[in-house]
Structures are given as C-alpha cells and as structure tokens.
Amino acid sequence: MNLKQFIQLSGIALFLTVTPAFVFASCSDDNVVEEPVTPPDDDDDDKEEEKPDEALLKTCQTILERIKNANLPTNASNVEKDVAKWMEQLREDGSFPDINYTDRAYSWIPGNHLTRVKQMAQAYVLNESKYYGNEDLYQQIVQALTYWNTVHPVCDNWYHNQISAPQDMSTILVLMRYGKTPVPEELEDSILLYMKQTGGDPEEQTGANKTDVALHWLYRGCLQTDKSVMDKAVLHSFMPLAYVASNQEGVQYDLSYFQHGPQLYIGGYAPVMLSGVTQVAEYTADTDYKLSPNQLNVLYKFINDTYMKSIRGHVQFYNIVGRSVSRPGALNCSSFTRTLEKMKKIDPAHSAEYDKHIATLKGSGYGSVTDNFTHYYIGDWSLFQGKDYSVGVRMASKRTRKCENGNKENLKGFFMSDGSMNLALEGDEYFDIFPVWDWNRVPGVTNPQMAEIPLGKAWGEEGESDFCGGLSVGANGLSGFRFEGNTHGVSMSANKAWFFLNGRIVCLGSGITSTMAEPVNTTVDQCSFKGNLAYAANGQENTASMGTEVTDEALDWIWHGRVGYFFPEGQKVSLKAEKRSGNWYDINNTKSKDPVEKEVCTIWLNHGTAPVDATYSYIIVPGIDNAGAMKSYRTEDTEILANSATVQAVHDVANGMVQALFYQKGSIEVGEMKITVDHPCALMLKKSGNNFELYFADPSHQLTSLTITIEYNGKRQTYTYDAFGEDGAYKGMTHQAQLTF
C-alpha cells in the first residue's frame, strides 16, 4: 500500500512513533547545538526500492495533513472569485494569456502561474467551496500543471528556481492529494523528478536559504514516502538552530544573525529562517522529527532576546534588514504574529511571552517592558529597547560585512553600516521613507556629501575598522568604532561613539579628517515629519513648521517628534522640514517609478571641507512631551569628559557613572578620580560610596591582557585581566570586576 492509497483509506491524521534516521550530538552547558550527523543519501536510482513501513506511512500522512490544513483558506469566498477568473482565462494548452513564460527577469512574472494554480487547487479541495470536486476545474488544474511541467520557466534569480517555484509546486501537489481525484500519478512523478533535479540541495545552503530549500524537500519526501529525503529535509530545516563561529552564517554566540557571510541580517533573512523553521516544527510536532530541547532553546532565545527587540510597534529597525530596506513595506512586521502563534504551540512553556509579543505587534504598547541595552559584540550592533523608545546602532568592522546591494536592490545604501542610528518612539519614524531619503544623510553617520553615492561590492563587503565594539550592563552601555573609509572614492576617518546613560544618548565624534573636496556632515536624524517642531538659539525659542530651514547656526536645542536634541558645544547645526518626492525604482530597479511624496525632517552638522581632527557632540533625549520641557532639561547632569582622537568619555553626574572608549592607552580624570588603562578598550565605572563596579570590553578582539588603574582619595588600585584568550567565541564580550577603596 502506498501513501496515496493510505490517504484515501485513512482520511484522518494518525500520530505514531517513527524511528528517527538521524542523531543529535550532546550539547554543552552553553546550549550550543552540535552539528547533527548527516544521514546517508539513499536517493540512488540504482538501489532496490524498499517498501515503506506502516509507521513511516502514518508519519507522512500526519505531516501532509498539516501541510494541507496550513495551505487552505479559512473562507472559500477568498479564492472563489479569483478562481472563476483563472478558469475563464486559461487556454486549452494550460497557459495564461497575460503571462510571458520566457521572461527571466528578477521580478519573474511566470511565478504568477503557480500562484493561480495553487488558488485553483485550494478551491478544488476546500469542502466549503462551490468548486469542491468540480470536474472542469480539475481538468484545468491538470492542464495548467502539464503546461508548466512542459515549458519549465526559468528565472535569472536562483531563488525562484530553487525555492519559490518548488515550494509552490509541492504545495499544489499536496493539496491535490486531498481532492476528489488526485493528480495523475505519471504527472506528479514527473513534476517531483524535475523538482529533485533542479530544486537545489539544502546541504549547499545556509541560514534562511537552507530552511527554504529544505521545506520543499520535506514536501517531496512525504509525497513519495521517502525516508532518506525526509531525514535530510528535517535535518537541514533545523540546522540553523545552532550557534556558529563568527565567520559562518547563522545565529551567533551573541544572538545576532548573519547571512551572506558575516553580514548582519536580523531583519530580512532571519524572519524567513524563523518562518521556515517554525513551519517545519509545527508540521513535525509530536513525531520523532520534532525539535530537540536545545534547538528549541536557541529558537526561543533568538526570538525573545533579539528579533522582537529589533522592532518598535510593528516596524523593524531599518539598518538590520539588509537590501530589503529598498522594498516597499519591508519594515512591517505585523505578519510575524503568525510565527509567534506557531511558537505558542511549539514552545508552550513560553506562551505567555509570545502573547506579549503578539500584543505589542498589534499595538498594545510597552508597559511591561524593562529598559535594557545590549551590545552585540559579534554583530557590531547595539540595541536599546525600553518603555518609551527604541534605538539601534549599526557599525561595521574588518570582522563583519557592510549592508549589501544585489539583485538591483539597495542601490544607495553605501553609508548605512557606518554608524547608522534608528531612533523610534512610535515605530513609524522611518517606515517607507526611503524613496525620498537623502542617502547622503543616513541618521547617525558621518560621511562626505557625494554627488553620486558609491555602489559597493554586490552582496556586501567587509568594513575597514579594526576597532569596533562596546559593552552593555542593564539599561546602560556604550558602542563605538574607529571609522575608516578608503574605498570607492571615499577618503576620510573619524572616531564615533554612543553612550547610553539612563534615558539619554550622548553622541560624540572626534578625529574627523578628510582629504576630499566634498564637505563632511554628521546626520543627527532624518525621519518623517511629525508636525511639531521647535528650536532655540542663544536662549531664544522658535516655533517651526513645514518649510522651516536653518543652515549652519549655533543652536541650543531642537525638539521634534517628542525627541530633544541638545547641542552643548557651539557647532554648525542645520535643520530642514520639507516635502520631498522620489520613487522606489531609484533605490531598487525591480520596483515602481511612480512618484512618492513625504514630509521629512532632517537635522545635521557641517564639518566643512577637508576637516582635520574635527569633533561633534550632541545629546538625544527621547520622550520629551513639549518644547517647554526642553528649557528645563538639565544638560549639566551630563558631563563630556573627553572627545579627542585618543579617548571619548562622559560622566553621568546624577548617577555617578563614567563611560569611556579609549582608542589608545591613556587616562581620564573625573573630579578627584583618575582612570588609566594600558590598552585601548571600552570601559564603564559606577561608583557607590567606596565601591566601584568596573565593566570593560575589548573592541579590537585582539587583546591578551588589560590593566586598569583607579586613583581615588589618595589611594590607588590596579586591576588586571589577562584571560581574553579564553573568551573564544565570546571575544568582545563585557567583563566585570569590583573594587573597594
């Protein structure tokens, strides 16, 4: 008895034990999932065919039932109207007249054929549909499948050939298994053979691409009751749920995520991986193909500690989605609720946390969130998530790649990895602003104002910084790097640092030097205009509105969108609120040329042409409700101790905390206290009476030892840490010590 006969005879899903064909190795206390043993590939045509056992048949039936149920609409009317149209349009040869099947473009119009056939299959299988079991519809489905299987359209983008088309084809075949009349066996076998020959191999892919290819392998394995294919599909579907070395793609030891080399992709590829993993986990639940406890732990931690923190409201940070930033609506994470609903079934122990995340995505707010700051020392990324606002800072070093372009996407994002800042209170501050963005003014970045923005190497290229890092402790911490730009016509350098101090961010720049003819600017922000704007110069407040423009003036502060921007030192500040127009095509040649208009507010600092050791400083305070409160805000509680080419440091006066980024060995003084380090490092010191909590990290990832000396009240203490070599995969992490005077 084969599986087709079994489905027709059983009619229901049965849950029985099946002997697993792979073994997961034991894991360490770090919950690191060792790479599973790859089962032998039994997909050999010369091998004698083995009759599948009853347990395997029933397991395949269980999974196919779930696949079918997951791909049926909840309401028949959702597809009936479209299906009527497709039936009217379909030609006798099984083609649609409006589709050019020879089109190979990246947008790949032929893919619409499979989308339509899938809707036809849904209507044919769905009991509530008026087309249920309809003979005419069945004949057209067979004609459409036969035409596709004869023409075999191909796209220049491998994704459609090895992921989207095979997934759609296998979904259609699964649905038709549950129709009144299945697809003819000869046609189904021919389609499955073509998928096998052209659909790629998950073993050759990584991350999200691995799970995407493995998904249609799972479908094919179940359809053919092929244990070896199923084993391999499940093995590779869940393989991304393991911590990997920093030069590999996948979940990192700091819970960041890499794809396309060591390139930060917490948005874009990571949610695709999560969707694929949870889909297979849901299909295989309660079978011996289910997730292991360690894999489930990695999945939970990445969603809870990283992915959901990279979203404000339902909008993801723009600087972690890679080239997807150039796609309309790409930052909208509302649909992730579907993945979270699956997680409640897969991981019921944490269902309450998933419910909170779902509520947040649906707009319930952040009342239960505890303010926290995390520096991802492998990903070169820092994240603050709190009740009132969220911030993400993206950098790049020689260890990581800059945000990529590719497939004609993200054509102007060259500077987006050079210290970009995503600052969000509501979440929509940057949503779909990108067609009208001035890409020379990415928030947080210091760069030359180039007439034509460079196009970096496709699929990402390494940063040029050898000093990039930070540290994080609770709600406080810092990040920074020595920016180097010496490629693609850029010739400049700068030290950039961000200090997160109890509800404010101190932004410092030093050593800004350029040999270029273009002026160098630092962009404070460039976001959607929020309708409330004010600024002050020499103590005089000015109310502003759309059309306001201020150029190179010494301003005290700017207030916009409930965010206060303070400028404690005299510097050239510019402000512009304007209506801009653009189009998606200019940043993504696969998208529309239709004009887009938006109101934008931009704040920036001008360092002039060919600056030498220029500096900047500004303080961002989110959550200031009105311009009047700007006057009373105590900037004196934030002391800038140093902003030079060798060290940047700040003092949180009210909380007795010092933060510093040393680019060379050296010292800083805070009142009666002196702090000295013998190597470059990131450092934070919090004083409570005679006790000092000391935190430090190595942004170079190269130190063997670090000695920190503190002189206070005539006393001197020295602390040496000489175990950096033992950090292994955790190089750059935050270390802690305590000193008592």
Side-chain angles (χ1 to χ4, degrees), residues 705-716:
S705 69
L706 175 67
T707 297
I708 303 168
T709 302
I710 300 175
E711 299 172 65
Y712 177 69
N713 279 346
K715 298 180 180 179
R716 174 189 175 102

Side-chain angles (χ1 to χ4, degrees), residues 300-319:
Y300 160 70
K301 287 181 68 65
F302 179 73
I303 289 176
N304 193 66
D305 295 350
T306 299
Y307 186 77
M308 285 306 303
K309 289 182 179 179
S310 71
I311 300 167
R312 189 73 188 179
H314 65 272
V315 181
Q316 193 153 45
F317 296 175
Y318 69 81
N319 52 10

Side-chain angles (χ1 to χ4, degrees), residues 436-454:
V436 305
W437 236 17
D438 179 349
W439 287 84
N440 265 316
R441 294 206 168 105
V442 178
V445 174
T446 302
N447 64 280
Q449 301 299 290
M450 304 178 74
E452 184 172 342
I453 294 174

Side-chain angles (χ1 to χ4, degrees), residues 296 343-352 354:
L296 186 59
M343 287 302 302
K344 289 167 60 178
K345 301 174 186 176
I346 299 164
D347 183 22
H350 296 107
S351 59
Y354 300 129

